[in-house]
Amino acid sequence: MTAAPLIEVEGLRIDLADGARHVAAVEGVSFRIDRGETFGLVGESGCGKSITALALIGLLRRPLSIAAGAIRFEGREIQGLSAAEQRALRGNRIAMIFQEPMTALNPVSPVGRQIAEMFVLHKGKSWREANQLAVEALANVRVPAPERRVKDYPHQLSGGMRQRVMIAIALACDPDLLIADEPTTALDVTVQAEIIELMRNLCAERGTAILMISHDLGLVANVCSRVGVMYAGRIVEERGSDDIFRAGAHPYTQGLVDSLPRLGSRAALGRSRLREIAGVVPAIADFPSGCRFNPRCAQATEICRTTVPETTWLGAGGLVRCHHHA
Amino acid sequence: MKLGTSAIIGGMLFALAIFVGLFAPWLAHTDPVMGANLVNAEEPPSWIWWFGTDAQGRDIYSRVVHGARISLTVGIVSQLVNSVIGVTLGLTAGYWGGWWDDVVNGLTNVMLAIPSLIFALAIMAVLGPGLTSLLIALGLTNWSFTCRIARASTLSLKSQGYVQAARVLGYGDLRIMITQLLPNMIGPIIVIGTLGMGGAVLAEASLSFLGLGIRPPYPSWGSMLSEARDQITTAPWLSVFPGLAIFLTVLGLNLLGDGLRDVLDPQSRSRRT
Ligand SMILES: Nc1ncnc2c1ncn2[C@@H]1O[C@H](COP(=O)(O)OP(=O)(O)OP(=O)(O)O)[C@@H](O)[C@H]1O
Ligand code: SF4
Ligand SMILES: [Mg+2]
């Protein structure tokens, strides 16, 4: 194992350009993921989880841009790479699957061809070899009769099957990091559990690290060993998954935990929404000063409205950013 | 894929024209240019001279059959050139946007403002008559609709999940355009191409009729019409048969194009899936 982490994000700030004005949509975000590790980012809609992921693979586009900080993959800064070097990482070393298996596949191309394309593109295989590898890749994601399924078009497959195809595509080149952005939100709860299990097993077998993004704390904690809780563009707490549940230190984290159904299986945890935290995430332009959670926080005091809380280190590499943390 | 009856009729007419063009040397009775013999001048249609003969005694049937070669070559090749230009410009403009989009848009607007036949006429006037000039003139002047459609399709397809996903998977711009964008817009492009081909056959006829396209004695349907102009009352078969050939070919392409539109139209596609 090398000394440098697989991916390291340091002081990331993402600006949203609004005419001549620039506002920080994401600010001071730092985390690291080691080889084979599973890390989760949780937070309500609009916290900046997806744009953080896009920044990792060098795909932020106007009006968003990286304004400060560094993203290092195996010690090399992503922003310093040429466009071609970045493309060679994407899909090959860092892969990503999305929420929408319905639309993430090309409707006029057989799924086998879309998998095979990865081998042609990144591994320099011939189409002949690539087509064979595509059948294997489909078999790996437990699609029955893969040699027939490769000829199917996306509309011939169910949502769960399509998401399996997406996973096959993402894992085709044996990436070092898989980013899963809400990979199962669009699926039925039972299918959801299957897909998550499949993804987790495949990554564990291959030593692929996972960055899992979701607003579902239960789901993320289930898959990941460490969790970063994001609120309004900042990471407010980062802990081991067990610690988060047992003793969330940040009022927002506690709110997330409280909003989960108390009883029930892991599958039941899947669909929870954050009903119990009153209010919504403010728009980027309206982020409050001080701690951004203060308008919604029951424990807020004067200092919370004026001063951004410092990082407090907790045991076992955990951290929290709150003036009055537990 | 279910084509309507009219589209099948159209396809058959077009296939017939292609067949005739391909096998012209075997189907023709005489050489279309050298087969002149004043003994047989101005014969009306008969069992021997199916479509009659002209003032020089040339067999009109043989000339119409050979004319299919030239007319269809011009129609197909020039429309292919138009499609390639239109798709390339429209796709890249829609995909990259920015100043390139402005340039392509400006160019398209200019092309749309000038009637393409007038534009082709001007090019022919500069290049002089002949097959090559015809291909250039007609190939460069009728891509604006294709370009518009390709650009509009690109703009709407660009935000589709699979195009974003391709970027995330490390596809380069060219690969995205060829694998994700082009196949998803090919339906309307084919429809416009088919209709445009009919237009090109007509345009060839018009230019040749005006003496700017294929020059006599070589037979294109347009040049035959041009030659027949003075004898339209005395020997109407000289005009009727090449005219009929143009009519049936263009009709066939239009029926086929309309039929393909019904099948390939993105809306009817989404209704089926
Ligand atoms: N292209 C864009 N232009 C302008 N604003 C954007 C753009 N993309 C994202 N944003 C804004 O950036 C913020 C963070 O968005 P992001 O998509 O990262 O949220 P998220 O945490 O992934 O939420 P969700 O759970 O809904 O996916 C949001 O306020 C969003 O409105
Ligand atoms: S810093 Fe203050 S407002 Fe922010 S979470 Fe802590 S107690 Fe609440
Ligand atoms: Mg998101």
Side-chain angles (χ1 to χ4, degrees), chain A residues 16 25 43-52 62-64 181-182 215 284:
Chain A
L16 174 67
E44 285 163 296
S45 194
C47 284
K49 306 179 298 288
S50 295
I51 61 176
T52 303
R62 272 180 311 133
L64 297 159
D181 190 352
E182 315 264 13
H215 45 241
I284 296 168

PDB file of all heavy atoms in Angstrom, chain A residues 16 25 43-52 62-64 181-182 215 284, ligand 1:
ATOM      1  N   LEU A  16     -19.913  29.313  -7.991  1.00  0.00           N
ATOM      2  CA  LEU A  16     -20.996  29.419  -8.955  1.00  0.00           C
ATOM      3  C   LEU A  16     -20.989  30.854  -9.466  1.00  0.00           C
ATOM      4  O   LEU A  16     -21.149  31.794  -8.685  1.00  0.00           O
ATOM      5  CB  LEU A  16     -22.327  29.097  -8.274  1.00  0.00           C
ATOM      6  CG  LEU A  16     -23.589  29.305  -9.105  1.00  0.00           C
ATOM      7  CD1 LEU A  16     -23.653  28.323 -10.254  1.00  0.00           C
ATOM      8  CD2 LEU A  16     -24.823  29.173  -8.236  1.00  0.00           C
ATOM      9  N   ALA A  25     -20.406  27.627  -3.829  1.00  0.00           N
ATOM     10  CA  ALA A  25     -21.418  26.582  -3.664  1.00  0.00           C
ATOM     11  C   ALA A  25     -20.888  25.487  -2.741  1.00  0.00           C
ATOM     12  O   ALA A  25     -21.646  24.846  -2.023  1.00  0.00           O
ATOM     13  CB  ALA A  25     -21.784  25.994  -5.022  1.00  0.00           C
ATOM     14  N   GLY A  43     -26.254  14.265   2.759  1.00  0.00           N
ATOM     15  CA  GLY A  43     -26.775  15.605   2.986  1.00  0.00           C
ATOM     16  C   GLY A  43     -28.041  15.772   2.186  1.00  0.00           C
ATOM     17  O   GLY A  43     -28.308  15.005   1.259  1.00  0.00           O
ATOM     18  N   GLU A  44     -28.813  16.788   2.548  1.00  0.00           N
ATOM     19  CA  GLU A  44     -30.058  17.019   1.831  1.00  0.00           C
ATOM     20  C   GLU A  44     -29.783  17.498   0.413  1.00  0.00           C
ATOM     21  O   GLU A  44     -28.671  17.887   0.075  1.00  0.00           O
ATOM     22  CB  GLU A  44     -30.887  18.083   2.567  1.00  0.00           C
ATOM     23  CG  GLU A  44     -31.546  17.577   3.825  1.00  0.00           C
ATOM     24  CD  GLU A  44     -31.976  18.731   4.697  1.00  0.00           C
ATOM     25  OE1 GLU A  44     -31.105  19.475   5.174  1.00  0.00           O
ATOM     26  OE2 GLU A  44     -33.186  18.883   4.886  1.00  0.00           O
ATOM     27  N   SER A  45     -30.839  17.526  -0.371  1.00  0.00           N
ATOM     28  CA  SER A  45     -30.746  17.991  -1.742  1.00  0.00           C
ATOM     29  C   SER A  45     -30.183  19.406  -1.792  1.00  0.00           C
ATOM     30  O   SER A  45     -30.587  20.269  -1.013  1.00  0.00           O
ATOM     31  CB  SER A  45     -32.149  17.962  -2.342  1.00  0.00           C
ATOM     32  OG  SER A  45     -32.063  18.098  -3.719  1.00  0.00           O
ATOM     33  N   GLY A  46     -29.223  19.612  -2.697  1.00  0.00           N
ATOM     34  CA  GLY A  46     -28.673  20.950  -2.874  1.00  0.00           C
ATOM     35  C   GLY A  46     -27.491  21.271  -1.983  1.00  0.00           C
ATOM     36  O   GLY A  46     -27.040  22.413  -1.939  1.00  0.00           O
ATOM     37  N   CYS A  47     -26.967  20.275  -1.259  1.00  0.00           N
ATOM     38  CA  CYS A  47     -25.822  20.508  -0.386  1.00  0.00           C
ATOM     39  C   CYS A  47     -24.509  20.614  -1.145  1.00  0.00           C
ATOM     40  O   CYS A  47     -23.492  21.024  -0.585  1.00  0.00           O
ATOM     41  CB  CYS A  47     -25.677  19.368   0.618  1.00  0.00           C
ATOM     42  SG  CYS A  47     -26.868  19.458   1.928  1.00  0.00           S
ATOM     43  N   GLY A  48     -24.505  20.183  -2.405  1.00  0.00           N
ATOM     44  CA  GLY A  48     -23.272  20.239  -3.181  1.00  0.00           C
ATOM     45  C   GLY A  48     -22.570  18.895  -3.315  1.00  0.00           C
ATOM     46  O   GLY A  48     -21.394  18.844  -3.676  1.00  0.00           O
ATOM     47  N   LYS A  49     -23.286  17.815  -3.087  1.00  0.00           N
ATOM     48  CA  LYS A  49     -22.663  16.498  -3.172  1.00  0.00           C
ATOM     49  C   LYS A  49     -22.287  16.161  -4.622  1.00  0.00           C
ATOM     50  O   LYS A  49     -21.157  15.744  -4.899  1.00  0.00           O
ATOM     51  CB  LYS A  49     -23.625  15.420  -2.642  1.00  0.00           C
ATOM     52  CG  LYS A  49     -24.148  15.701  -1.239  1.00  0.00           C
ATOM     53  CD  LYS A  49     -25.114  14.638  -0.753  1.00  0.00           C
ATOM     54  CE  LYS A  49     -26.386  14.479  -1.554  1.00  0.00           C
ATOM     55  NZ  LYS A  49     -27.370  15.569  -1.413  1.00  0.00           N
ATOM     56  N   SER A  50     -23.244  16.362  -5.519  1.00  0.00           N
ATOM     57  CA  SER A  50     -22.990  15.980  -6.911  1.00  0.00           C
ATOM     58  C   SER A  50     -21.913  16.841  -7.551  1.00  0.00           C
ATOM     59  O   SER A  50     -21.085  16.342  -8.315  1.00  0.00           O
ATOM     60  CB  SER A  50     -24.271  16.073  -7.734  1.00  0.00           C
ATOM     61  OG  SER A  50     -25.206  15.128  -7.273  1.00  0.00           O
ATOM     62  N   ILE A  51     -21.925  18.122  -7.254  1.00  0.00           N
ATOM     63  CA  ILE A  51     -20.913  18.966  -7.893  1.00  0.00           C
ATOM     64  C   ILE A  51     -19.527  18.670  -7.319  1.00  0.00           C
ATOM     65  O   ILE A  51     -18.529  18.782  -8.028  1.00  0.00           O
ATOM     66  CB  ILE A  51     -21.265  20.478  -7.828  1.00  0.00           C
ATOM     67  CG1 ILE A  51     -21.376  20.973  -6.401  1.00  0.00           C
ATOM     68  CG2 ILE A  51     -22.532  20.771  -8.586  1.00  0.00           C
ATOM     69  CD1 ILE A  51     -21.633  22.482  -6.336  1.00  0.00           C
ATOM     70  N   THR A  52     -19.468  18.238  -6.061  1.00  0.00           N
ATOM     71  CA  THR A  52     -18.176  17.795  -5.520  1.00  0.00           C
ATOM     72  C   THR A  52     -17.671  16.587  -6.306  1.00  0.00           C
ATOM     73  O   THR A  52     -16.502  16.516  -6.684  1.00  0.00           O
ATOM     74  CB  THR A  52     -18.326  17.432  -4.028  1.00  0.00           C
ATOM     75  OG1 THR A  52     -18.833  18.562  -3.329  1.00  0.00           O
ATOM     76  CG2 THR A  52     -16.996  17.020  -3.425  1.00  0.00           C
ATOM     77  N   ARG A  62     -19.078  25.544 -16.746  1.00  0.00           N
ATOM     78  CA  ARG A  62     -19.759  26.802 -16.477  1.00  0.00           C
ATOM     79  C   ARG A  62     -21.217  26.545 -16.095  1.00  0.00           C
ATOM     80  O   ARG A  62     -21.858  25.690 -16.697  1.00  0.00           O
ATOM     81  CB  ARG A  62     -19.748  27.686 -17.737  1.00  0.00           C
ATOM     82  CG  ARG A  62     -18.556  28.548 -17.883  1.00  0.00           C
ATOM     83  CD  ARG A  62     -18.700  29.358 -19.171  1.00  0.00           C
ATOM     84  NE  ARG A  62     -19.057  28.514 -20.312  1.00  0.00           N
ATOM     85  CZ  ARG A  62     -20.022  28.813 -21.181  1.00  0.00           C
ATOM     86  NH1 ARG A  62     -20.736  29.899 -21.052  1.00  0.00           N
ATOM     87  NH2 ARG A  62     -20.283  28.020 -22.200  1.00  0.00           N
ATOM     88  N   PRO A  63     -21.766  27.280 -15.170  1.00  0.00           N
ATOM     89  CA  PRO A  63     -21.208  28.396 -14.396  1.00  0.00           C
ATOM     90  C   PRO A  63     -20.427  27.946 -13.163  1.00  0.00           C
ATOM     91  O   PRO A  63     -20.103  28.771 -12.336  1.00  0.00           O
ATOM     92  CB  PRO A  63     -22.467  29.161 -13.990  1.00  0.00           C
ATOM     93  CG  PRO A  63     -23.504  28.097 -13.863  1.00  0.00           C
ATOM     94  CD  PRO A  63     -23.167  27.044 -14.886  1.00  0.00           C
ATOM     95  N   LEU A  64     -20.140  26.656 -13.048  1.00  0.00           N
ATOM     96  CA  LEU A  64     -19.424  26.178 -11.871  1.00  0.00           C
ATOM     97  C   LEU A  64     -17.940  26.025 -12.188  1.00  0.00           C
ATOM     98  O   LEU A  64     -17.579  25.650 -13.298  1.00  0.00           O
ATOM     99  CB  LEU A  64     -19.995  24.830 -11.428  1.00  0.00           C
ATOM    100  CG  LEU A  64     -21.460  24.857 -10.976  1.00  0.00           C
ATOM    101  CD1 LEU A  64     -22.079  23.480 -11.056  1.00  0.00           C
ATOM    102  CD2 LEU A  64     -21.559  25.405  -9.565  1.00  0.00           C
ATOM    103  N   ASP A 181     -23.475   8.059  -7.366  1.00  0.00           N
ATOM    104  CA  ASP A 181     -24.280   9.219  -6.987  1.00  0.00           C
ATOM    105  C   ASP A 181     -25.747   8.814  -6.982  1.00  0.00           C
ATOM    106  O   ASP A 181     -26.354   8.661  -8.028  1.00  0.00           O
ATOM    107  CB  ASP A 181     -24.030  10.358  -7.973  1.00  0.00           C
ATOM    108  CG  ASP A 181     -24.642  11.671  -7.493  1.00  0.00           C
ATOM    109  OD1 ASP A 181     -25.374  11.660  -6.487  1.00  0.00           O
ATOM    110  OD2 ASP A 181     -24.379  12.707  -8.134  1.00  0.00           O
ATOM    111  N   GLU A 182     -26.314   8.635  -5.804  1.00  0.00           N
ATOM    112  CA  GLU A 182     -27.709   8.197  -5.664  1.00  0.00           C
ATOM    113  C   GLU A 182     -28.007   7.037  -6.596  1.00  0.00           C
ATOM    114  O   GLU A 182     -28.918   7.133  -7.415  1.00  0.00           O
ATOM    115  CB  GLU A 182     -28.663   9.356  -6.025  1.00  0.00           C
ATOM    116  CG  GLU A 182     -28.293  10.684  -5.431  1.00  0.00           C
ATOM    117  CD  GLU A 182     -29.042  10.985  -4.146  1.00  0.00           C
ATOM    118  OE1 GLU A 182     -29.655  10.046  -3.602  1.00  0.00           O
ATOM    119  OE2 GLU A 182     -28.979  12.128  -3.691  1.00  0.00           O
ATOM    120  N   HIS A 215     -28.765  11.232  -0.124  1.00  0.00           N
ATOM    121  CA  HIS A 215     -29.334  11.969   0.992  1.00  0.00           C
ATOM    122  C   HIS A 215     -29.842  11.003   2.054  1.00  0.00           C
ATOM    123  O   HIS A 215     -30.443  11.402   3.024  1.00  0.00           O
ATOM    124  CB  HIS A 215     -30.433  12.937   0.540  1.00  0.00           C
ATOM    125  CG  HIS A 215     -31.395  12.357  -0.437  1.00  0.00           C
ATOM    126  ND1 HIS A 215     -31.563  12.878  -1.697  1.00  0.00           N
ATOM    127  CD2 HIS A 215     -32.185  11.290  -0.355  1.00  0.00           C
ATOM    128  CE1 HIS A 215     -32.446  12.149  -2.332  1.00  0.00           C
ATOM    129  NE2 HIS A 215     -32.838  11.179  -1.552  1.00  0.00           N
ATOM    130  N   ILE A 284     -27.750  28.942  -2.732  1.00  0.00           N
ATOM    131  CA  ILE A 284     -26.331  29.286  -2.583  1.00  0.00           C
ATOM    132  C   ILE A 284     -26.134  30.766  -2.276  1.00  0.00           C
ATOM    133  O   ILE A 284     -25.338  31.140  -1.409  1.00  0.00           O
ATOM    134  CB  ILE A 284     -25.567  28.924  -3.870  1.00  0.00           C
ATOM    135  CG1 ILE A 284     -25.630  27.414  -4.077  1.00  0.00           C
ATOM    136  CG2 ILE A 284     -24.122  29.384  -3.803  1.00  0.00           C
ATOM    137  CD1 ILE A 284     -25.173  26.961  -5.427  1.00  0.00           C
TER     138      ILE A 284
HETATM  139  N1  LIG C   1     -25.068  23.776 -13.552  1.00  0.00           N
HETATM  140  C1  LIG C   1     -25.453  24.448 -12.474  1.00  0.00           C
HETATM  141  N2  LIG C   1     -25.765  25.752 -12.540  1.00  0.00           N
HETATM  142  C2  LIG C   1     -26.141  26.447 -11.460  1.00  0.00           C
HETATM  143  N3  LIG C   1     -26.246  25.928 -10.248  1.00  0.00           N
HETATM  144  C3  LIG C   1     -25.961  24.640 -10.099  1.00  0.00           C
HETATM  145  C4  LIG C   1     -25.557  23.826 -11.197  1.00  0.00           C
HETATM  146  N4  LIG C   1     -25.348  22.580 -10.746  1.00  0.00           N
HETATM  147  C5  LIG C   1     -25.620  22.609  -9.436  1.00  0.00           C
HETATM  148  N5  LIG C   1     -25.979  23.845  -9.036  1.00  0.00           N
HETATM  149  C6  LIG C   1     -26.315  24.244  -7.680  1.00  0.00           C
HETATM  150  O1  LIG C   1     -25.299  23.803  -6.822  1.00  0.00           O
HETATM  151  C7  LIG C   1     -25.855  23.336  -5.599  1.00  0.00           C
HETATM  152  C8  LIG C   1     -25.376  21.961  -5.299  1.00  0.00           C
HETATM  153  O2  LIG C   1     -25.889  21.094  -6.269  1.00  0.00           O
HETATM  154  P1  LIG C   1     -25.662  19.528  -6.231  1.00  0.00           P
HETATM  155  O3  LIG C   1     -26.260  18.994  -7.472  1.00  0.00           O
HETATM  156  O4  LIG C   1     -24.244  19.236  -5.972  1.00  0.00           O
HETATM  157  O5  LIG C   1     -26.544  19.105  -4.989  1.00  0.00           O
HETATM  158  P2  LIG C   1     -26.710  17.670  -4.371  1.00  0.00           P
HETATM  159  O6  LIG C   1     -26.181  17.749  -2.998  1.00  0.00           O
HETATM  160  O7  LIG C   1     -26.117  16.660  -5.273  1.00  0.00           O
HETATM  161  O8  LIG C   1     -28.265  17.547  -4.320  1.00  0.00           O
HETATM  162  P3  LIG C   1     -29.207  16.332  -4.812  1.00  0.00           P
HETATM  163  O9  LIG C   1     -29.403  15.478  -3.606  1.00  0.00           O
HETATM  164  O10 LIG C   1     -30.467  17.041  -5.183  1.00  0.00           O
HETATM  165  O11 LIG C   1     -28.552  15.647  -5.928  1.00  0.00           O
HETATM  166  C9  LIG C   1     -27.378  23.433  -5.742  1.00  0.00           C
HETATM  167  O12 LIG C   1     -27.803  24.577  -5.058  1.00  0.00           O
HETATM  168  C10 LIG C   1     -27.598  23.589  -7.204  1.00  0.00           C
HETATM  169  O13 LIG C   1     -28.712  24.404  -7.440  1.00  0.00           O
END
